[in-house]
Amino acid sequence: MDTPQQLQLLAPLSGVLMALDQVPDPVFAGRVIGDGVCIDPTSATLCAPLAGVVSDVQASGHAVTVTSDTGVQVLMHIGLDTVNLAGTGFTPRVEAGQRVEAGQALIDFDADYIALHARSLLTLMLVVSGEPFKSLVAATGLLEAGQPVLDVVVGAAAGEITATTQGDAVFSQPIELLNPNGLHARPAAVFAQAAKAFSATIHLHRLQAQANAKSLVAIMALQTAHGDSVQVSAEGEDAEAAVQALTRLLSEGCGEAVTAPAPVEVAADMPNILRGVCASPGSALGRVMHIVEPSLMVNEFGAAPPIELESLTHALIEADMALQHLRDTASGQARAEIFKAHQELLADPSLLDQARALIDEGKSAAFAWKTTTEATAAMFRSLGNALLAERAADLADVGHRVLKLILGVQEQALELPDDTILIAEQLTPSQTAGLDTRKVLGFATVGGGATSHVAILARACGLPAICGMPMQMLTLDNGTQVLLDADKGELQLYPDAQSIDQLRARHERQRQRHQHELAHAAQAACTRDGQHIEITANVASHSETAQAMELGANGVGLLRSEFLYLGRHQAPSHDEQVSTYSAIARSVGPAHNLVVRTLDVGGDKPLAYVPMDSETNPFLGLRGIRLCLERPQLLREQLRAILACSELTRLHIMLPMVTSLAELRLARQILEQETRGVGLAHMPKLGIMIEVPAAALMADVLAPHVDFFSIGTNDLTQYTLAMDRDHPRLASQADSFHPSVLRLIAMTVQAAHAHGKWVGVCGAMASERLAVPLLLGLGVDELSVSVPLIPAIKSAVREVSLSDCRIIAEQVANLESAADVRATLQRFYEAKLDASPVMEN
Ligand code: PEP
Ligand code: MG
């Protein structure tokens, strides 16, 4: 007989050694999984303690097993209850089946994240094949990664785990796994130990795969998940008893608390419907897939500063080139704009200066860049401004791009199955822009807001999306069937057949309707009783204007001029402004109105080259016309550039956020002076936005001094209801259909018409089909809508008669809530649908 060999196991991490008995977890402390050591880590890469083959890496990345050529199986488990992190914080560097050398990196982990989000960071190294070992170090104390820790006696496993088939096997019924994370290390160990009590050969089956039920590693390698259907089979003398006992154990959760499934097939304590806020409209049926951004390991100290600086500069150039490529190949202006904004962020000299200073102190390029971008993003977030907070997300995104280039980490293309509904804590703009829309049908995120770049991108590619979802959503298993109804802000889990049929029917109706609308886009928008309504576009760029005109717009009802110059560090020159406004004016042409709104900076729209003091309540601060009147030079320069295109189109100038007649008078004076200054005989039409309740309430006083009003229902709603327009929790209540907002619209229209002035609505409400009969009934003359919806809103006008609209507008005026108003309008449409086949089908 051979003398047993010794196999040395190296410390997989640096850290403090702890006795296994002290681990605050009975399964580990009781050595149910195996005997070994516990380390409280001070390093953040788990390395192989021995050479061998990786027999299993858990899908959640928190545990890995390596088997030596001599059959010694060593399981490493990072942290306690870390399976619940669903992969966040772990970056496996190896795959199952791969050969590894002792000391080779197996898993990188984000120690800070795990320490904050899991029960403990204590890491176990356990000999799960059962061989005895001798410790080579003191029972407690400091360990260095790679230092020999245990001497294992090879070939002396306590009881060899064999599973050979001899006769007819007894099979259990299929059992649904109730463990929230399937059979991960702890329940698998309990199951394997119970199986070892029987002499029968026992297997656990999942789909086509089977595992020796007495081998912890084999069970873990099955990578079972919650809701999986498994079966136990056994052969041998006590086969019947084994199948019975193990079936019971599985249905009881193998030592983990589990709850039997509710009859509605919903995971324990998970409601059937999860609610968030619509970030991009639409609906889709698909299966859940989580996106988890791998964390990157960064060393604090680097090589000589010139080398590190070179590495940073090189990565910045590469990132800029990659962004330029994405910009050039982007489908759609919105995507291209976002990559352009990312390039602007990269070019910010203060980021480079800060990173360079850290490199000069001896820090690595990666550390310097990470620290700088994270600190700047945190500063953005702390300013209490929703838009800046979202730019923090952009900075984090572009920061990550550069960091990966410094570290030489390859971009991993996401392998997604068909009909995917992505689930993530937060998606980055790059991830969103890179989504394969042939496979991804929509997404739902915990973070993000309706005004985020991610939401803008989702709308640009027509992907339904919900943000502001509960954290609970992140516990859904990959593959769970869900119905994403972004219009309602709902994610329905395990939808029933009826909901699925309704969704399909809805999609078909929408498809047919869209075709019909497109075919008639060029026709005028006249109600059935002959009232012509101007349907104009809300635009923020030249290309959007051109697109709007192609889709049948009767001009531009709102050019959000501040968006033309977002993300710049210097004001555009006069010539540049003239050429931008002229190009837009040419697209609109002499037969239509072009309403240029003067800079609406402040609030949720900071402009980098108009630095402002930070404000406690930016929405109530120096916004819109208030800021322009405080810096009249800015307004004068803009007006001069706008006036330069007055020959090209029917030019209208509109002032945002007007609250008092005094502001209007002052701005008019400035416009008169500038008009004279450029030698124009006539002043263009001048109007104001009605978006502050004070302006609506004083509309009769303001009307004689304007040529038109345009109601900004987005701001009018937030100021009337005192609800932040970007607040994810209030989004469903901050509804422009609230009767208080409707009363202000009615007052505005009456006052304007009494003075012979026209009124438009350019807030998002005008782009809602449901609002069309209401706004027409209230007497609104023009609807300025989001570009893709022009054909739909034109067609909605054609479907109604003004007389019906007036009746419905009167009916809803006295209702109590926005929900009641919406319900009444819905019924109005349903009644029309019955009466007219043109409506939905
Ligand atoms: C509004 O407030 O409704 C509006 C159209 O202006 P903005 O959304 O640009 O603030
Ligand atoms: Mg506004």
Side-chain angles (χ1 to χ4, degrees), residues 491-835:
L491 189 73
Q492 185 182 346
L493 315 182
Y494 313 101
D496 52 32
Q498 195 189 358
S499 309
I500 296 174
D501 286 349
Q502 281 169 353
L503 178 89
R504 293 200 171 120
R506 176 146 52 121
H507 282 176
E508 182 49 25
R509 281 201 304 275
Q510 282 167 350
R511 195 191 59 77
Q512 286 181 14
R513 195 166 69 204
H514 188 59
Q515 272 186 346
H516 177 85
E517 290 162 358
L518 271 184
H520 296 84
Q523 291 173 9
C526 285
T527 60
R528 289 183 171 185
D529 44 3
Q531 176 71 34
H532 178 256
I533 303 292
E534 290 276 302
I535 304 299
T536 54
N538 290 351
V539 300
S541 67
H542 174 231
S543 66
E544 251 190 319
T545 313
Q547 200 194 345
M549 298 312 287
E550 268 176 35
L551 284 174
N554 307 125
V556 164
L558 169 63
L559 169 60
R560 287 184 163 107
S561 63
E562 62 282 357
F563 280 107
L564 294 173
Y565 309 110
L566 263 185
R568 302 177 54 135
H569 299 287
Q570 276 161 0
S573 68
H574 173 76
D575 289 352
E576 188 181 350
Q577 290 194 51
V578 171
S579 97
T580 310
Y581 293 126
S582 302
I584 292 173
R586 265 186 220 102
S587 286
V588 174
H592 297 294
N593 288 354
L594 164 60
V595 181
V596 184
R597 182 174 71 185
T598 56
L599 281 181
D600 184 14
V601 183
D604 61 339
K605 289 176 276 196
L607 205 52
Y609 65 85
V610 185
M612 290 175 61
D613 294 337
S614 79
E615 298 176 300
T616 317
N617 291 307
F619 275 125
L620 304 181
L622 273 180
R623 248 198 99 172
I625 194 68
R626 299 176 191 171
L627 183 82
C628 283
L629 291 177
E630 224 203 41
R631 302 186 195 187
Q633 215 36 45
L634 196 66
L635 180 62
R636 285 181 186 279
E637 279 163 20
Q638 188 185 21
L639 290 175
R640 280 198 287 276
I642 298 172
L643 289 168
C645 69
S646 63
E647 305 284 296
L648 301 169
T649 184
R650 291 197 330 219
L651 182 63
H652 290 58
I653 291 177
M654 178 158 73
L655 310 171
M657 281 290 292
V658 170
T659 314
S660 69
L661 183 57
E663 290 167 335
L664 170 57
R665 283 202 172 115
L666 214 55
R668 176 178 281 281
Q669 230 174 35
I670 295 177
L671 179 60
E672 278 165 1
Q673 288 165 2
E674 292 306 324
T675 310
R676 275 198 303 276
V678 297
L680 279 179
H682 300 289
M683 211 181 83
K685 303 278 185 210
L686 178 66
I688 61 169
M689 300 270 304
I690 299 287
E691 46 187 352
V692 180
L697 292 164
M698 301 282 282
D700 57 336
V701 174
L702 297 164
H705 303 269
V706 297
D707 294 304
F708 65 95
F709 286 147
S710 186
I711 305 176
T713 46
N714 306 338
D715 279 315
L716 188 59
T717 306
Q718 81 160 340
Y719 294 128
T720 305
L721 301 179
M723 289 179 182
D724 188 331
R725 62 193 268 181
D726 294 321
H727 198 299
R729 297 267 192 70
L730 294 175
S732 57
Q733 293 176 61
D735 190 338
S736 302
F737 287 67
H738 194 281
S740 59
V741 180
L742 304 184
R743 288 176 190 209
L744 291 175
I745 298 176
M747 279 177 90
T748 307
V749 175
Q750 275 161 22
H753 287 179
H755 290 89
K757 311 293 163 70
W758 62 267
V759 185
V761 172
C762 60
M765 185 186 194
S767 301
E768 278 200 57
R769 180 171 173 264
L770 203 59
V772 169
L774 176 57
L775 295 175
L776 264 52
L778 288 170
V780 168
D781 306 288
E782 178 232 31
L783 299 174
S784 189
V785 309
S786 120
V787 173
L789 293 165
I790 293 164
I793 297 299
K794 284 183 108 175
S795 135
V797 170
R798 290 186 211 112
E799 287 165 353
V800 293
S801 67
L802 193 58
S803 49
D804 284 350
C805 295
R806 288 193 178 126
I807 296 171
I808 191 78
E810 251 180 59
Q811 262 178 28
V812 301
N814 294 318
L815 294 177
E816 282 176 17
S817 66
D820 288 348
V821 174
R822 283 185 180 272
T824 307
L825 289 166
Q826 196 61 49
R827 280 197 298 276
F828 167 81
Y829 264 123
E830 277 155 17
K832 293 234 125 267
L833 185 69
D834 290 341

Side-chain angles (χ1 to χ4, degrees), residues 270-271 273-276 445-446 467-475:
M270 178 82 81
I273 292 182
L274 299 176
R275 289 194 171 82
T445 59
V446 175
C467 58
M469 293 295 278
M471 279 301 268
Q472 220 179 355
M473 176 185 75
L474 299 179
T475 62

